[in-house]
């Protein structure tokens, strides 16, 4: 089975539909904070839950035979409050590391991370590009350390025909 975290969002749900069209078994984990349950194909297993919750992740990884993970994250909100900024960092750093920890423990070697586009004022772009670069370095280093193959998917240039389906 392929786990698509954030699969109820616009980009994630398109991937879910493509996977199902290719006869893949798909699990969608989404907290619906920026997604919509109606976007998810009824043939996918849908779990409403927070991907930063270690108990939810344990339940999902322990309950299903997962061969690959796709992670779609929501974008940085323009004019973000301190609480929104904290949530952004949690979803883009702590959450992927928790997911990768589960992948390591369950011997899953295929991780596909779709960074969300920045939704910021021009004056904020430089600061957030630096943050994005750090995220890329952290996730890349973790994957290299534990032999997990990593594919970066740029949501701004998302062409689902170019995404390799790995299982």
């Amino acid at each position: 089975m392929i786990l698509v975290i954030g699969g109820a969002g616009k980009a994630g749900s398109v991937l879910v539909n493509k996977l199902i069209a290719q006869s893949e078994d798909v699990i969608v984990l989404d907290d619906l904070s920026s997604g919509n349950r109606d976007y998810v194909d009824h043939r996918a297993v849908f779990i409403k839950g927070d991907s930063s919750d270690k108990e939810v992740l344990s339940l999902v990884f322990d309950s299903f035979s997962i061969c690959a993970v796709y992670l779609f994250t929501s974008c940085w909100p323009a004019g973000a409050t301190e609480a929104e900024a904290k949530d952004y960092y949690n979803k883009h750093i702590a959450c992927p590391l928790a997911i990768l920890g589960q992948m390591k423990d369950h011997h899953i070697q295929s991780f596909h991370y779709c960074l969300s586009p920045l939704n910021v004022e021009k004056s904020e772009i430089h600061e957030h590009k630096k943050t994005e670069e750090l995220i890329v370095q952290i996730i890349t280093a973790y994957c290299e350390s534990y032999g997990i193959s990593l594919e970066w998917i740029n949501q701004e240039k998302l062409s689902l025909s170019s995404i390799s389906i790995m299982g």
Side-chain angles (χ1 to χ4, degrees), residues 93-123:
I93 298 173
C95 177
L97 290 176
I99 292 164
L100 287 165
Q102 287 289 329
M103 290 178 64
K104 179 178 70 75
D105 292 347
H106 289 82
H107 309 287
I108 301 165
Q109 299 296 311
S110 182
F111 185 54
H112 310 265
Y113 192 175
C114 186
L115 280 172
S116 58
L118 293 173
N119 181 23
V120 297
E121 300 295 323
K122 284 189 177 188
S123 62

Side-chain angles (χ1 to χ4, degrees), residues 40-80:
V40 180
D41 188 292
H42 70 277
R43 294 170 288 181
V45 174
F46 178 78
I47 301 167
K48 183 177 184 222
D50 186 344
S51 58
S52 64
D53 183 327
K54 290 183 182 183
E55 289 182 21
V56 170
L57 288 175
S58 290
L59 177 68
V60 171
F61 281 90
D62 290 344
S63 299
F64 298 96
S65 179
I66 298 169
C67 62
V69 177
Y70 286 82
L71 174 60
F72 289 83
T73 56
S74 56
C75 63
W76 178 278

Side-chain angles (χ1 to χ4, degrees), residues 121-138:
E121 300 295 323
K122 284 189 177 188
S123 62
E124 299 175 304
I125 288 177
H126 179 69
E127 174 187 337
H128 296 295
K129 282 292 184 188
K130 287 190 330 188
T131 301
E132 187 176 273
E133 289 170 8
L134 288 172
I135 291 167
V136 169
Q137 290 173 3
I138 292 167

